Amino acid sequence: MSVDAATVRRIAHLARIAVTDDEVPHLQGELNAMLAFVEQLAEVDVDGVEPMTSVTPMQMKKRADGVNDGEIADHVVANAPATEDHFFLVPKVVE
């Protein structure tokens, strides 16, 4: 894939970047180099390669995912003007 000067100007316009005519050839070369690198990466065979999150092998610390109310519901609604069954009561705003 190759980027021409018109495409460089369009990308600059979409990105809201002011580009002079002198800068277009340089940016065109930069974008073409990036696209060539991406095409080169697409040629690499990655079948059977596990995705990794770090270069060093490690296990994340995990905790049990248990649902609870925090056991402080009374404290949470203590200063509310109106509550019911540990819920805030608010006035109706839509009629």
Side-chain angles (χ1 to χ4, degrees), residues 15-90:
R16 306 290 194 264
I17 299 172
V19 175
T20 64
D21 290 337
D22 296 336
E23 296 172 318
V24 170
H26 175 71
L27 291 173
Q28 183 177 355
E30 293 284 326
L31 288 171
N32 283 328
M34 286 184 240
L35 292 173
F37 181 69
V38 170
E39 288 175 358
Q40 183 181 0
L41 288 176
E43 295 174 3
V44 177
D45 181 24
V46 292
D47 290 337
V49 177
E50 300 257 342
M52 59 186 219
T53 58
S54 175
V55 293
T56 57
M58 66 171 130
Q59 295 291 325
M60 291 182 60
K61 297 177 184 172
K62 299 178 183 175
R63 62 174 173 80
D65 189 16
V67 178
N68 63 32
D69 64 355
E71 300 174 3
I72 58 168
D74 293 327
H75 297 291
V76 171
V77 296
N79 291 328
T83 63
E84 183 177 310
D85 295 328
H86 303 296
F87 292 101
F88 293 95
L89 291 178
V90 296

